[in-house]
Amino acid sequence: MKPILSQEEQLAQTNFCVIVPTYNNNKTLEKVLNSILIYTKDIIVVNDGSTDRTSQILENFPNLIQIHHPENQGKGVALQNGFNKATALNYEYAITIDSDGQHFASDIPSFIDFIQNEPNTLLIGSRNMTQENVPKKSSFGNKFSNFWFWFETGIRLEDTQSGFRLYPLRLIPERYYTPKFEFEIEVIVRSAWKGIPVKNIPVKVLYDPLERVSHFRPFKDFTRISILNTVLVIIALVYIKPRDLVRKIKKKGLKKFLLEDILESDESNFKKSAAIALGVFIGISPFWGFQTVLLLFLATLFKLNKVIAFVASNISLPPLIPLVIYGSLKMGSLFIANNSSLTQNDSMVLSDVSKNITQYVVGSLILASLMALLFGSITYLVLTLFSTPKNKINN
């Protein structure tokens, strides 16, 4: 059993520093630094090319580690340089805090206390976005960011935009690709992809319209963030989620994986059946080349079992493709008039699709819908007949 340490002992025994990126926050910088010094002297200030009185203010803190950029390079670069310096000085953790005065250094002990029980966690300070003076654009931006973080990682957080964070320096990625505000999204998404736990911790926040200076440019920075999220979503769908699925199967073994994650999962029979219906629909429908991406997107959107849906989508495995094409063309011929006759042997050639593209597309969508309904219904009936009492209650 670990001995219970006082707040002072925890702070003294934890190998951490505080990184303060700053750009033209001369109104609040000195107050922020003095508040941090109450809890630790291990502070790295990154002056990101400030043109106000920042340099003069920092002359009053000669004992702090200081990095000065000749010109403004962006918050992302400032944080990366701060991380590099902290790593070179062998710190294990780095707490980042903005210099605009919205955060309270008195919350630093809460971060340190948390990692005593859950070390190597990346912590993000969760602000109360409903309190007075919180800009509406900040509240909306946070909800927007929270949704995409969940979509990209499967982790639900209440606040993904707070700059008050604790990073496990030895575990987070070493290289990054974004230089400005969007960096704070990149680092938490890629850390989560590495398997680092990412969690929220409640913190206090102050929005003082008279003192707080924000350098967030709504159009430019929101556009950069949107582009980054688009890239991250594609990577998540094409690589991360399939990778995690393969790793899970390898770790458990195929038999145990099928039993625990599919047949005996806590999901209702209806949800399992819906996942199979979705997989069959995507597998037959004419979305060649995009089936896996579309499948994972829809399964995530509707909160369906991705594994079950992926397995069901393999109804279009190569040996079955000729039958799917033939069935689609025949189904389409019932609705689209076409002068060319179609035999089963002819349908084995993919060129028939290009000759009868409208017939094929319409037929494949109708066939996909019918087969999805059929397979989903049969699955639901079978699962209902053979399900355990636990699953029957869930239904």
Side-chain angles (χ1 to χ4, degrees):
M1 183 176 178
K2 290 184 178 180
I4 299 175
L5 302 178
S6 66
Q7 182 183 103
E8 291 76 15
E9 289 173 328
Q10 284 185 353
L11 292 170
Q13 294 185 21
T14 304
N15 185 18
F16 80 100
C17 67
V18 177
I19 298 174
V20 185
T22 186
Y23 174 63
N24 289 351
N25 281 127
N26 64 284
K27 290 182 179 181
T28 53
L29 177 60
E30 185 172 5
K31 181 172 65 175
V32 169
L33 293 177
N34 283 327
S35 67
I36 298 171
L37 283 168
I38 296 173
Y39 301 96
T40 180
K41 293 181 174 59
D42 298 303
I43 302 173
I44 300 174
V45 184
V46 185
N47 175 16
D48 189 27
S50 298
T51 57
D52 59 3
R53 294 180 50 255
T54 293
S55 296
Q56 291 92 315
I57 292 171
L58 291 178
E59 289 176 359
N60 298 324
F61 297 89
N63 294 327
L64 303 186
I65 300 168
Q66 299 182 21
I67 300 172
H68 293 270
H69 294 169
E71 57 185 29
N72 181 253
Q73 298 183 50
K75 188 177 183 181
V77 174
L79 287 172
Q80 291 174 57
N81 288 340
F83 290 161
N84 292 338
K85 186 66 174 179
T87 301
L89 294 172
N90 293 317
Y91 287 107
E92 185 175 0
Y93 296 99
I95 292 177
T96 61
I97 184 169
D98 295 335
S99 62
D100 58 5
Q102 71 165 293
H103 301 302
F104 291 81
S106 56
D107 283 318
I108 289 175
S110 298
F111 284 90
I112 301 304
D113 180 65
F114 188 100
I115 60 172
Q116 305 307 311
N117 298 317
E118 297 186 45
N120 299 324
T121 300
L122 195 162
L123 296 175
I124 303 174
S126 178
R127 302 160 296 175
N128 179 6
M129 303 300 289
T130 62
Q131 73 181 49
E132 188 179 0
N133 291 329
V134 175
K136 290 184 178 180
K137 64 181 181 180
S138 297
S139 181
F140 168 78
N142 194 46
K143 290 178 181 178
F144 178 86
S145 178
N146 294 348
F147 170 79
W148 287 114
F149 178 76
W150 162 75
F151 189 90
E152 292 151 4
T153 67
I155 300 172
R156 291 190 180 275
L157 295 178
E158 295 178 353
D159 192 345
T160 52
Q161 290 196 317
S162 170
F164 202 179
R165 304 178 175 189
L166 178 144
Y167 293 94
L169 291 171
R170 299 171 187 173
L171 300 179
I172 59 176
E174 295 180 3
R175 294 182 59 193
Y176 301 93
Y177 305 96
T178 50
K180 299 187 183 296
F181 284 99
E182 68 274 16
F183 168 80
E184 291 184 301
I185 296 173
E186 179 191 352
V187 64
I188 60 174
V189 170
R190 292 182 56 207
S191 294
W193 285 350
K194 287 189 67 178
I196 299 172
V198 181
K199 298 185 178 182
N200 277 140
I201 180 172
V203 296
K204 300 181 289 294
V205 65
L206 172 67
Y207 280 92
D208 188 341
L210 298 178
E211 288 194 345
R212 183 173 182 265
V213 177
S214 174
H215 302 291
F216 185 85
R217 301 161 300 175
F219 179 76
K220 288 185 177 180
D221 290 319
F222 189 77
T223 299
R224 296 172 71 97
I225 289 171
S226 296
I227 293 172
L228 173 64
N229 276 316
T230 300
V231 173
L232 293 175
V233 165
I234 293 172
I235 295 173
L237 292 175
V238 173
Y239 174 67
I240 298 298
K241 293 185 184 295
R243 179 205 68 180
D244 292 344
L245 172 60
V246 171
R247 286 180 176 177
K248 199 171 186 180
I249 293 174
K250 284 184 177 180
K251 184 178 180 180
K252 287 190 172 185
L254 182 60
K255 182 178 179 181
K256 186 177 180 181
F257 173 77
L258 290 173
L259 287 173
E260 292 184 356
D261 292 79
I262 298 182
L263 298 178
E264 293 299 328
S265 69
D266 291 332
E267 293 168 327
S268 67
N269 291 338
F270 176 79
K271 281 247 181 183
K272 293 176 184 176
S273 304
I276 286 180
L278 174 63
V280 170
F281 177 82
I282 296 296
I284 296 176
S285 56
F287 303 115
W288 304 104
F290 299 95
Q291 288 179 324
T292 300
V293 173
L294 186 60
L295 175 75
L296 292 173
F297 176 82
L298 292 175
T300 301
L301 184 65
F302 295 112
K303 301 179 182 179
L304 299 177
N305 190 306
K306 302 177 189 65
V307 179
I308 297 177
F310 180 76
V311 171
S313 71
N314 286 304
I315 193 170
S316 60
L317 281 171
L320 299 176
I321 288 177
L323 294 176
V324 171
I325 294 175
Y326 177 74
S328 298
L329 288 168
K330 291 294 281 186
M331 182 66 69
S333 68
L334 300 176
F335 299 89
I336 304 295
N338 197 306
N339 294 327
S340 62
S341 60
L342 181 69
T343 66
Q344 188 166 356
N345 289 332
D346 291 334
S347 69
M348 298 300 176
V349 183
L350 286 174
S351 60
D352 277 333
V353 173
S354 60
K355 293 177 184 177
N356 308 281
I357 186 65
T358 303
Q359 179 179 321
Y360 167 71
V361 171
V362 171
S364 64
L365 289 173
I366 295 173
L367 181 64
S369 300
L370 293 175
M371 290 297 100
L373 182 62
L374 176 64
F375 277 81
S377 300
I378 291 174
T379 302
Y380 182 78
L381 291 173
V382 171
L383 289 175
T384 301
L385 288 173
F386 295 98
S387 63
T388 62
K390 176 183 175 181
N391 284 334
K392 288 182 178 178
I393 291 173
N394 288 337
N395 290 326

